[in-house]
Amino acid sequence: MSGPGALILLVEDEPQMRRFLRVSLEGSGYRYLEAATGQEGLSLAAQHRPDVLLLDLGLPDMDGLEVVSRLREWSQIPVIVISARGQESDKVDALDAGANDYLTKPFGTRELLARVRVALRHANPEAGEQPVFTLGRWRVDLAKRQVFVEDQEVHLTPLEYSLFTTLIRHAGKVVTHRQLLKEVWGGAAGAQPLYLRVYMTQLRHKLEEEPSRPRYLKTEPGVGYRLFLED
Amino acid sequence: MSGPGALILLVEDEPQMRRFLRVSLEGSGYRYLEAATGQEGLSLAAQHRPDVLLLDLGLPDMDGLEVVSRLREWSQIPVIVISARGQESDKVDALDAGANDYLTKPFGTRELLARVRVALRHANPEAGEQPVFTLGRWRVDLAKRQVFVEDQEVHLTPLEYSLFTTLIRHAGKVVTHRQLLKEVWGGAAGAQPLYLRVYMTQLRHKLEEEPSRPRYLKTEPGVGYRLFLED
DNA sequence: CTCCTTCCTAACACTTTCTTAACGCGCCTT
DNA sequence: AAGGCGCGTTAAGAAAGTGTTAGGAAGGAG
């Protein structure tokens, strides 16, 4: 997760500051977690693997620097330190302990958010493994929006692709007619079960070896369709 | 190269500041390069691939922000901006343009060095970035903004070039209409899908052998466009 | 100011995709 | 065995999306 919806963990003991940052971060579309102590912060970081950690140095239970170095024992999560201490030696120590950035209070919200964006940008230079779905002779590269059968690319129209990936998302499970129509054609009205039959036929012709006796794109009579995982 | 011996490029027009930083950096064991203008800085960056770039925003020949975004067209080299301007909006703009850090003059040497160490620590292990992209008969020098077909230079207008390099950045993947309009025309409103059709036509005429049956600049109907990598 | 480049816009031809209808087949019920 | 039902299949028209061209507006350079 790198764009909006990224998870930010704030470790800060001052309630007023927490409330302020919470509003700023949630208002910018980030998911948000908070801890009031270093112990709690480390434990939450381990549990939830946030995308960025905002760390106040002045914590009651342990030194902020220790939080950073403990975290760095197992994680490369970007850490932005926010601190009232503006001494150069404080900054140097924090940065050398493993922090990625150091912001002195008071600071502007917009600068903080910009630095969070930098951290997120840096966090995954496409580190996230590309989502590729494979099944039998099929390979689907969700990122590139490409479908291969026996390493031969097959072109799918937008609706075909949408229908197919919807089944992939629910791979193995039955997806009802209603659910498919909703997810592929959008909640709007007008979508008829007939569409499903037409497009399932087309998908089978493009993807199945024997379209008339499908191996993976199975019909569940009276209920819906299912992408069969077993062989 | 990431530890001592790393190469630092300083882009700064003020001789006094240059001398000062040179002493600090060389004294810390870094290899050192300098440029007095944005143009020279970009060119040196392309030639020598420094591990970190220190950039003064107040350059005589071009805006510092433009240096960053030009650089980001082909390189992920960490950029630390050093500037006399301390306004929050300056910081936000620079960071959003692609800078990794922002330091306001005057600053302490030790803090600068600590931030350089952070940048180096972060340095991309995946050094595979090339300022030159080649595909079939095409060669694109991202640093110099030059495009060649069969070693013959082809002139692209700014928008054509931007559209082309956007597709290159996402080479192989489908780029949606929305995304292209956002990245090429800027988030602002008014951008219409019609623009894409017009400029794709022009690109194809300038770059493709058979513009009406493109080999690389493919359309994904209803979705977007894709720079096709396979043959 | 004029020339030149680049960008935006509109019109029209064309292609792909979507929707719709008709028909065939097998299964179950009566 | 006949009829109803659900699903698969096919094809054709409608709709949506795309390619192409050209001309005028806007902006910058000399």
Side-chain angles (χ1 to χ4, degrees):
Chain A
M1 186 76 61
S2 128
L7 181 62
I8 316 259
L9 170 58
L10 171 66
V11 184
E12 160 75 76
D13 61 321
E14 223 181 293
Q16 197 177 339
M17 193 63 165
R18 278 214 303 274
R19 195 161 45 239
F20 168 69
L21 289 176
R22 163 180 217 146
V23 171
S24 303
L25 292 168
E26 289 189 336
S28 300
Y30 298 114
R31 282 150 52 225
Y32 174 85
L33 266 177
E34 63 186 21
T37 66
Q39 285 294 353
E40 193 190 345
L42 286 170
S43 138
L44 280 179
Q47 260 180 273
H48 294 91
R49 308 300 177 85
D51 299 290
V52 171
L53 192 154
L54 295 180
L55 175 66
D56 180 18
L57 280 194
L59 296 173
D61 62 328
M62 58 195 287
D63 185 28
L65 290 190
E66 199 189 332
V67 176
V68 176
S69 42
R70 291 270 292 278
L71 183 78
R72 282 288 173 266
E73 287 171 7
W74 58 271
S75 166
Q76 290 307 310
I77 296 172
V79 172
I80 300 177
V81 165
I82 51 186
S83 164
R85 285 178 265 171
Q87 292 299 315
E88 189 170 14
S89 57
D90 292 321
K91 300 187 189 176
V92 172
D93 290 347
L95 294 172
D96 281 340
N100 298 69
D101 205 341
Y102 191 107
L103 214 50
T104 309
K105 294 183 193 173
F107 52 82
T109 312
R110 290 166 51 222
E111 176 174 358
L112 173 68
L113 291 172
R115 291 189 183 267
V116 166
R117 287 193 291 275
V118 171
L120 287 172
R121 199 197 302 150
H122 222 287
N124 36 343
E126 71 186 277
E129 68 280 11
Q130 44 186 357
V132 175
F133 175 88
T134 55
L135 175 61
R137 313 174 303 143
W138 299 348
R139 185 161 54 85
V140 184
D141 188 324
L142 283 318
K144 294 184 178 171
R145 199 194 178 278
Q146 277 177 311
V147 179
F148 301 86
V149 176
E150 301 273 15
D151 287 327
Q152 192 76 39
E153 182 169 5
V154 173
H155 174 75
L156 300 186
T157 71
L159 273 183
E160 286 163 3
Y161 183 81
S162 173
L163 175 58
F164 188 37
T165 53
T166 300
L167 289 171
I168 287 176
R169 269 199 306 282
H170 303 274
K173 296 186 216 160
V174 178
V175 192
T176 64
H177 298 135
R178 167 183 300 277
Q179 200 171 349
L180 281 173
L181 288 168
K182 201 176 93 193
E183 294 196 30
V184 177
W185 273 264
Q192 300 171 33
L194 165 61
Y195 300 171
L196 291 178
R197 282 184 264 140
V198 172
Y199 279 93
M200 284 304 293
T201 299
Q202 287 175 188
L203 272 185
R204 283 167 176 155
H205 272 85
K206 288 184 174 182
L207 302 176
E208 289 276 4
E209 211 151 11
E210 294 179 83
S212 53
R213 275 189 293 112
R215 187 169 167 188
Y216 301 110
L217 295 169
K218 296 276 194 185
T219 302
E220 296 286 338
V223 186
Y225 295 89
R226 177 211 307 253
L227 182 63
F228 217 70
L229 290 178
E230 278 96 309
D231 271 331
Chain B
M1 187 76 58
S2 130
L7 181 62
I8 316 262
L9 170 58
L10 170 67
V11 184
E12 160 75 77
D13 62 321
E14 223 180 292
Q16 197 177 340
M17 194 62 164
R18 279 214 302 274
R19 198 161 44 240
F20 168 68
L21 289 175
R22 165 180 213 149
V23 171
S24 302
L25 293 167
E26 288 189 336
S28 302
Y30 297 116
R31 280 151 51 225
Y32 174 83
L33 264 177
E34 63 185 22
T37 67
Q39 285 294 352
E40 192 189 349
L42 286 171
S43 141
L44 282 179
Q47 264 178 271
H48 294 90
R49 317 291 187 77
D51 299 292
V52 171
L53 193 155
L54 295 181
L55 174 67
D56 179 17
L57 280 194
L59 295 173
D61 62 329
M62 59 195 287
D63 186 28
L65 291 190
E66 201 188 330
V67 177
V68 176
S69 43
R70 285 275 188 95
L71 184 78
R72 282 287 174 267
E73 287 173 5
W74 59 272
S75 169
Q76 291 306 312
I77 296 174
V79 172
I80 301 177
V81 165
I82 52 186
S83 165
R85 285 179 264 172
Q87 292 298 316
E88 187 172 18
S89 58
D90 292 321
K91 300 185 189 179
V92 172
D93 289 347
L95 295 171
D96 280 341
N100 298 69
D101 205 341
Y102 191 108
L103 217 49
T104 308
K105 297 182 193 175
F107 50 83
T109 313
R110 290 165 53 223
E111 177 175 359
L112 173 68
L113 290 172
R115 290 190 184 268
V116 166
R117 286 193 290 276
V118 171
L120 287 172
R121 203 195 298 151
H122 257 266
N124 273 327
E126 31 120 356
E129 68 182 19
Q130 287 195 348
V132 176
F133 173 89
T134 56
L135 175 62
R137 312 174 303 143
W138 300 348
R139 186 161 54 84
V140 184
D141 188 323
L142 283 319
K144 293 184 181 155
R145 301 188 140 214
Q146 284 178 317
V147 178
F148 300 86
V149 176
E150 301 273 16
D151 288 327
Q152 192 77 38
E153 181 168 5
V154 173
H155 173 74
L156 300 186
T157 72
L159 271 183
E160 287 163 3
Y161 182 82
S162 173
L163 177 57
F164 189 36
T165 53
T166 300
L167 289 170
I168 287 176
R169 268 198 302 282
H170 303 274
K173 296 188 203 168
V174 175
V175 192
T176 63
H177 299 133
R178 167 184 301 277
Q179 201 172 348
L180 281 172
L181 288 169
K182 200 177 96 194
E183 294 197 28
V184 177
W185 273 265
Q192 299 172 32
L194 167 62
Y195 302 171
L196 291 177
R197 285 182 262 142
V198 173
Y199 280 93
M200 284 303 294
T201 299
Q202 288 175 189
L203 272 185
R204 282 168 176 153
H205 273 84
K206 289 184 174 182
L207 302 175
E208 289 275 4
E209 211 151 11
E210 295 178 83
S212 53
R213 274 189 293 113
R215 186 169 168 189
Y216 300 111
L217 295 169
K218 296 274 195 184
T219 302
E220 296 286 336
V223 187
Y225 295 90
R226 171 201 328 244
L227 182 64
F228 214 72
L229 292 178
E230 279 99 304
D231 271 329

